[in-house]
Amino acid sequence: MLPVILGTAKFGTYTDKAHSFDVLNQFIALGGTRIDTANNYACWHPDGKGGESEAILGEWIAEQNRGSIEVMTKIGAQSVDGFTYDQLDGLAPDNILRSIDESLTRLQTDHVDVLYAHVDDVNTPLLDTWKTLSSLVKQGTVKRLGISNYQEPRVLELVNVITENDLTPISHAQFRYTLLSPNITANFSPQIVMSEHLFGVLKHLDVRPEIIGYSPLLDGAFEDSADELPETYDNLLNCMLVEQLQEQANAMGMTTSAWVLKVIHDYGVTPVTAASHPDRLKSNLSAFL
């Protein structure tokens, strides 16, 4: 099994159905089994409203052996106005129940393997959110639960709430993560960057969730010149690190993207990676093949 999760955020919007199916089929052919989506993908696309990725994935799942695929989706971060992240639909119990029903319909399945609370909802008590999510596990609609984009104090508070109320534990924790450190002025809100301290906190939780990193390749930035990094990562130390990673990858006979995924995995973070073409996907995963 590939120790990598396939990200599908751009399926159904930036990537059309045919190319999405090609990438999915290539992923399975290479030994992949785990696929990541969310109910708000890709609301930031000019023609996207959210749900496009799940819908494309559902059409593909209908043609597969469902038992051989692990489907991960997320709820709670749908834009209320459809354009900005100023207000999200959140994790109130009624929205959780409505959202999972809609996701199951789009995904054309009777369960999801992992359901994430996509973004922390500070306006809803953690107990209310996690009781409702735990009820979905009890009824079999969801197999396991995860969190994404929670600040460290809220992670610890949630763990206490779960323990004190005998609720379903956190099995997955997903945050923005790559080998480069963002500039101090970078603002990815509502995304949370996983710092080394947060990584340590997650790693030492009694429940030991699988730690997952999204956006590890920064949309192909490691294949470009070190002088052309995204603005949020553009600094001298990162330029030097990219040059070093490119030299290491060249010595290993693989692309820098493939090497970056390997380094991240070996460090203890499961990467979520995406591609718009099957050949690019195979190249990115070459270190694991």
Side-chain angles (χ1 to χ4, degrees):
M1 182 182 75
L2 281 176
V4 175
I5 299 167
L6 179 65
T8 65
K10 295 184 177 181
F11 287 5
T13 47
Y14 297 91
T15 307
D16 65 22
K17 176 180 176 179
H19 286 92
S20 298
F21 275 34
D22 288 344
V23 171
L24 286 161
N25 290 333
Q26 176 73 293
F27 184 65
I28 298 301
L30 295 173
T33 59
R34 302 201 288 172
I35 302 170
D36 181 271
T37 185
N39 72 342
N40 71 338
Y41 293 165
C43 64
W44 58 90
H45 185 277
D47 298 322
K49 296 181 179 179
E52 292 85 4
S53 172
E54 287 184 334
I56 286 289
L57 187 53
E59 291 185 54
W60 179 80
I61 288 173
E63 302 175 359
Q64 311 301 315
N65 173 8
R66 177 66 179 88
S68 66
I69 303 164
E70 186 171 316
V71 178
M72 304 171 161
T73 194
K74 315 178 199 73
I75 59 173
Q78 181 66 278
S79 171
V80 172
D81 64 19
F83 300 99
T84 70
Y85 293 108
D86 295 337
Q87 185 178 358
L88 305 178
D89 61 344
L91 295 166
D94 60 341
N95 191 56
I96 289 174
L97 298 176
R98 179 171 55 253
S99 296
I100 187 60
D101 284 345
E102 292 173 351
S103 288
L104 292 174
T105 297
R106 285 189 292 264
L107 289 165
Q108 299 189 43
T109 184
D110 61 357
H111 73 279
V112 295
D113 299 281
V114 181
L115 180 64
Y116 287 93
H118 200 169
V119 174
D120 186 14
D121 178 3
V122 298
N123 296 313
T124 300
L126 289 170
L127 180 58
D128 291 355
T129 292
W130 218 258
K131 270 188 174 180
T132 306
L133 291 172
S134 296
S135 73
L136 297 176
V137 176
K138 288 183 179 179
Q139 71 185 39
T141 302
V142 174
K143 302 301 181 183
R144 295 178 299 281
L145 298 176
I147 57 170
S148 183
N149 304 306
Y150 276 56
Q151 297 281 2
E152 179 187 322
R154 292 282 286 178
V155 173
L156 297 176
E157 183 181 351
L158 175 58
V159 169
N160 287 335
V161 167
I162 291 170
T163 302
E164 292 170 359
N165 293 276
D166 195 26
L167 301 175
T168 303
I170 301 166
S171 64
H172 297 66
Q174 186 176 142
F175 294 85
R176 185 182 180 97
Y177 185 77
T178 186
L179 296 181
L180 306 184
S181 297
N183 295 328
I184 194 170
T185 57
N187 180 11
F188 300 104
S189 182
Q191 298 179 357
I192 301 294
V193 175
M194 182 166 62
S195 65
E196 290 305 305
H197 189 270
L198 176 56
F199 175 74
V201 168
L202 294 169
K203 195 171 183 179
H204 290 92
L205 291 175
D206 289 340
V207 293
R208 298 297 174 92
E210 180 178 6
I211 303 172
I212 299 170
Y214 63 83
S215 299
L217 299 181
L218 301 176
D219 290 327
F222 291 97
E223 302 302 328
D224 297 330
S225 167
D227 296 325
E228 299 177 1
L229 291 176
E231 182 179 354
T232 47
Y233 291 90
D234 189 9
N235 61 63
L236 181 58
L237 288 178
N238 280 342
C239 289
M240 294 171 62
L241 179 55
V242 169
E243 289 177 345
Q244 181 182 14
L245 290 166
Q246 290 174 340
E247 291 173 1
Q248 292 171 346
N250 186 58
M252 296 294 291
M254 64 181 68
T255 65
T256 311
S257 294
W259 178 240
V260 167
L261 292 180
K262 178 71 163 55
V263 173
I264 289 174
H265 166 264
D266 290 350
Y267 185 60
V269 177
T270 302
V272 177
T273 189
S276 59
H277 193 279
D279 290 343
R280 183 62 177 269
L281 178 68
K282 185 175 182 179
S283 173
N284 288 351
L285 299 181
S286 63
F288 305 106
L289 303 178

